[in-house]
Amino acid sequence: MGDTKIVYDEKFGITTFKREICAQLGEAFWNELIENIELPDIDSECKCQCHNMYQFMKRLEEMTDEETLKKILYKVRHGLHPSQCEWAHKEFMEAGNLDDFLKKHLSDELNGFIELNKEKKDFYGQEITDEVLTFIKENPKMLAPERKGNKLYCMAFPCNMKEYLSVTDEKMKRYHACHCPFAKESILSENVVSSVLCNCSLGHMMNFVEAFMDRELRGKVVHSVLNGDLICEYEIEIPDDIMQKYVTSEE
């Protein structure tokens, strides 16, 4: 959603977590956090069903209050920064209306997937079959935020939409929905990585919204596959001044 134009400049991994943890809590905290545990490695966590990240998050939750932890993970956001979506702020200003901007963005994104379907091209390795395209059309929050009052609602793409749609087992649906290499394989184990980690994905999702609104925002994870839900969804607060200036006052 929104980030289909992004070029990922940073190699995302545990060093991204370290940077944000140290920025908030300091180097000494980090050293205590990782003492006598094996650091999770993004390329090999799948081999241990993400047990290292399970232990890492367990200790991090024990050592940190929930709000501080959410703030840290939100900043991790897969190594992204709103500056990578500067084009969105320009388009929002040109539209001059939040709903008009979101409507155009949805249309542009959907047309892109229609073309992928027609040309039988993939989306980051995902085959856009007729069934997948129908699923996307039925869930437009995957393409652009949906406004309800002073909130925006967003839905994450399932990691493997084709398999997600074909399986009936709920655990396997959650597995095929999850993108996170630090957590995905844990869904098939007894020790599922804490759903607090999904605040990293919240930050990823909000990267686009913060870019076009040109400010930091408040949001929360509403549904998470790590928490037993079948899809990941997020809620973002629209600031009062944005509502007053860029939303038609007819509600």
Side-chain angles (χ1 to χ4, degrees), residues 11 16 26 40 92 102 119 168 173 182-183 188 203 206 208 247:
K11 180 173 171 52
T16 315
F92 178 46
L102 295 177
E119 297 174 9
T168 55
K173 271 198 180 293
F182 282 121
L188 303 181
M206 289 180 68
F208 170 71
V247 175

Side-chain angles (χ1 to χ4, degrees), residues 7-143:
V7 175
Y8 286 76
D9 295 331
E10 176 180 331
K11 180 173 171 52
F12 171 63
I14 197 64
T15 54
T16 315
F17 286 86
K18 179 182 179 180
R19 182 187 66 211
E20 298 304 332
I21 290 170
C22 289
Q24 187 70 29
L25 298 171
E27 190 87 24
F29 178 91
W30 172 261
N31 292 334
E32 182 181 353
L33 171 68
I34 66 171
E35 187 175 3
N36 298 323
I37 65 170
E38 185 171 345
L39 282 176
D41 180 86
I42 195 168
D43 296 319
S44 60
E45 277 301 285
C46 59
K47 298 176 183 177
C48 66
Q49 292 191 307
C50 302
H51 184 70
N52 295 327
M53 180 54 89
Y54 171 80
Q55 296 287 3
F56 180 84
M57 285 298 300
K58 186 173 183 290
R59 181 174 290 186
L60 189 53
E61 287 186 272
E62 289 170 352
M63 293 175 60
T64 321
D65 66 274
E66 185 176 357
E67 287 308 307
T68 299
L69 181 50
K70 286 181 177 179
K71 182 178 179 180
I72 290 169
L73 294 172
Y74 164 75
K75 287 289 188 179
V76 170
R77 61 177 58 189
H78 304 172
L80 296 181
H81 189 274
S83 63
Q84 293 164 288
C85 291
E86 286 182 342
W87 57 269
H89 179 64
K90 180 181 177 182
E91 290 189 7
F92 178 46
M93 291 295 98
E94 289 174 353
N97 179 278
L98 177 57
D99 294 326
D100 289 346
F101 168 74
L102 295 177
K103 183 178 179 180
K104 181 182 183 300
H105 183 62
L106 173 59
S107 177
D108 290 345
E109 292 286 295
L110 181 55
N111 286 337
F113 280 95
I114 290 171
E115 284 302 308
L116 291 176
N117 172 259
K118 283 182 180 178
E119 297 174 9
K120 300 192 182 305
K121 293 183 179 179
D122 67 89
F123 173 69
Y124 292 106
Q126 294 212 52
E127 184 182 356
I128 307 302
T129 63
D130 292 344
E131 292 77 14
V132 167
L133 183 60
T134 297
F135 178 69
I136 292 172
K137 289 178 178 179
E138 290 173 349
N139 294 278
K141 287 183 289 186
M142 291 195 299
L143 301 181

